[in-house]
Amino acid sequence: MKKIIYVLIGVLIGLLVSLLLFQPRLDYFLDDESELIDNEMKIYDDDDDDDDDYEINRVEYYKDKLAIKLSDDEIKDAGIIVFKLTQDKITLEEEINAISIGYKNLLDIVSKYDVLNVHLSKSKINKTHNERIYLRLKSLYDEQGSIALKDLEEVEFKIESIKADMNSIQKDIDFLISEIKLEYGSILVDDVLSERKIFTSLINNSSSLIIIENVNLTNKNRNYKFNNEELIFLSPYNGNSNLRGNVGIFLLQNIKISSNSKLTVFLENEDLIDGYFIPESALLYHGGKVWAYFRENNELFYKEEITNFYSIDNNKVFSTNSLLNLNIVVSGAQILLAEEFRSQIMQEDDD
């Protein structure tokens, strides 16, 4: 029993001696492991810092504007396309108030004209017939004396009465023609007196009459349009309306509009305006404003507000901003805007 106790005591003493002898090496090993781990963490942290710095370094300032700096490969990968703007000229269209009017008064005038014209034609036939009778009776009276003078005078009187009626009818016709000319212009007068193509189109509801405000009566050939259909000036309008200034009456062919409809017609401005055509794909709508990105030095991209522009169609606008020789981004503008936001957020997180 004592031998066993002595053996156990010896083992314990050996263990204690071993621990004392190998403690420095263990500490050294642990220190090395800790340092290795710390170094690896530092390397990882340094990599993250480098990535953040790379992202943040995309943001620069160009002429006091925030700009995104991209490499050639990044520009290619993002599908960014630019082209240089050149100055151009356009004529703008001004919106003008207008009202459609009916043709009832014109129809009444033309109807009266037609009735009078029929009467005039009948009177001409009657006059010609009585003139023949008069010539035959006068021949009998002069040669044979078989015709009483009274009969000859009656025919002569009848002819004069017919002439008087014809003169009266012609005056009424002339008055109606002058009324058409005064209210609708000489174009409609010529039409009514000839083939009546315009009048027929109005009656068949394939054309319309429109009155327009602020008409320049000294330049009647200005180009008014409605639905891309050119309006034809007929005459100054003398009727009552709520339109301002000098009011003119125009013919709108090939379109029927109900009477008393309020309209907006477009007047092509005579002055040319300088500016630049911008594709719709280049425009960004953000914060209630319109922006576009521009490239500088082949690697910097900055955005500018487009303040003055006119919509031309669904594919482009015309801007009067000063954009001469600038390289505008026509594809990839959304990517640049997203990159700008991301870089700003990263800067805020870094702070």
Side-chain angles (χ1 to χ4, degrees), residues 29 47 64 70 91 93 99 162 173 201 248 293 303-304:
F29 175 76
D47 288 341
D64 298 327
L70 298 177
T91 56
E93 291 182 336
I99 300 174
I162 294 173
I173 288 176
S201 69
Y293 271 95
K303 70 177 186 294
E304 288 271 9

Coordinates of all heavy atoms in Angstrom, one line a residue, residues 29 47 64 70 91 93 99 162 173 201 248 293 303-304:
F29 N 3.6 29.7 -28.0 CA 2.7 29.1 -29.0 C 1.4 29.9 -29.0 O 0.9 30.2 -30.1 CB 2.5 27.6 -28.7 CG 1.5 27.0 -29.7 CD1 1.9 26.7 -31.0 CD2 0.2 26.7 -29.2 CE1 1.0 26.1 -31.8 CE2 -0.7 26.2 -30.1 CZ -0.3 25.9 -31.4
D47 N -8.7 44.9 -46.3 CA -9.4 44.7 -47.6 C -10.7 45.4 -47.6 O -11.1 46.0 -48.6 CB -9.6 43.2 -47.8 CG -8.3 42.4 -48.1 OD1 -7.3 43.1 -48.5 OD2 -8.3 41.2 -47.9
D64 N -17.7 72.2 -58.9 CA -18.6 72.3 -57.8 C -19.9 71.5 -57.9 O -20.9 71.7 -57.3 CB -19.1 73.8 -57.6 CG -17.9 74.7 -57.3 OD1 -17.0 74.3 -56.6 OD2 -18.0 75.9 -57.7
L70 N -15.6 56.7 -63.3 CA -15.7 55.3 -63.7 C -14.6 55.0 -64.7 O -14.1 55.9 -65.5 CB -17.0 55.0 -64.4 CG -18.3 55.2 -63.6 CD1 -19.5 54.9 -64.5 CD2 -18.3 54.3 -62.4
T91 N -39.2 76.0 -84.7 CA -40.3 77.0 -84.5 C -41.3 76.3 -83.5 O -41.7 75.2 -83.7 CB -41.0 77.3 -85.8 OG1 -41.5 76.1 -86.4 CG2 -40.1 78.0 -86.8
E93 N -44.9 76.1 -81.3 CA -46.3 76.3 -81.5 C -47.0 77.0 -80.3 O -46.7 76.5 -79.1 CB -47.0 75.0 -81.8 CG -46.6 74.4 -83.1 CD -47.4 73.1 -83.4 OE1 -47.8 72.4 -82.5 OE2 -47.5 72.8 -84.6
I99 N -63.3 78.5 -80.7 CA -64.6 77.9 -80.5 C -65.2 77.5 -81.9 O -65.0 78.2 -82.9 CB -65.6 79.0 -79.9 CG1 -65.1 79.4 -78.5 CG2 -67.0 78.4 -79.8 CD1 -65.9 80.6 -77.9
I162 N -91.3 92.4 -116.1 CA -90.4 91.3 -115.8 C -89.0 91.8 -115.6 O -88.3 91.3 -114.7 CB -90.4 90.3 -117.0 CG1 -91.8 89.6 -117.2 CG2 -89.3 89.2 -116.9 CD1 -91.9 88.8 -118.4
I173 N -80.2 89.0 -104.4 CA -79.1 88.0 -104.6 C -77.8 88.6 -104.2 O -76.9 88.0 -103.5 CB -79.1 87.4 -106.0 CG1 -80.3 86.5 -106.2 CG2 -77.8 86.7 -106.3 CD1 -80.4 85.9 -107.6
S201 N -69.3 69.9 -97.8 CA -68.6 69.2 -96.7 C -69.2 69.6 -95.4 O -69.3 68.8 -94.5 CB -67.1 69.5 -96.8 OG -66.8 70.8 -96.5
G248 N -61.1 85.7 -85.9 CA -61.2 85.3 -87.3 C -62.0 84.0 -87.4 O -62.0 83.2 -86.4
Y293 N -27.4 63.4 -67.4 CA -26.0 63.2 -67.1 C -25.1 63.6 -68.3 O -25.5 63.3 -69.4 CB -25.7 61.8 -66.6 CG -25.9 61.5 -65.2 CD1 -27.1 61.0 -64.7 CD2 -24.8 61.8 -64.3 CE1 -27.2 60.8 -63.3 CE2 -25.0 61.6 -62.9 CZ -26.2 61.1 -62.5 OH -26.4 60.9 -61.1
K303 N -24.5 65.4 -63.3 CA -25.8 65.6 -63.8 C -26.1 67.1 -63.7 O -25.6 67.8 -62.8 CB -26.9 64.8 -63.0 CG -27.1 65.2 -61.6 CD -28.2 64.3 -61.0 CE -28.7 64.7 -59.6 NZ -27.6 64.5 -58.6
E304 N -27.0 67.5 -64.7 CA -27.4 68.9 -64.7 C -28.9 68.9 -64.8 O -29.5 68.1 -65.5 CB -26.8 69.6 -66.0 CG -25.4 69.9 -65.9 CD -25.1 71.3 -65.3 OE1 -26.1 71.9 -64.8 OE2 -23.9 71.7 -65.3

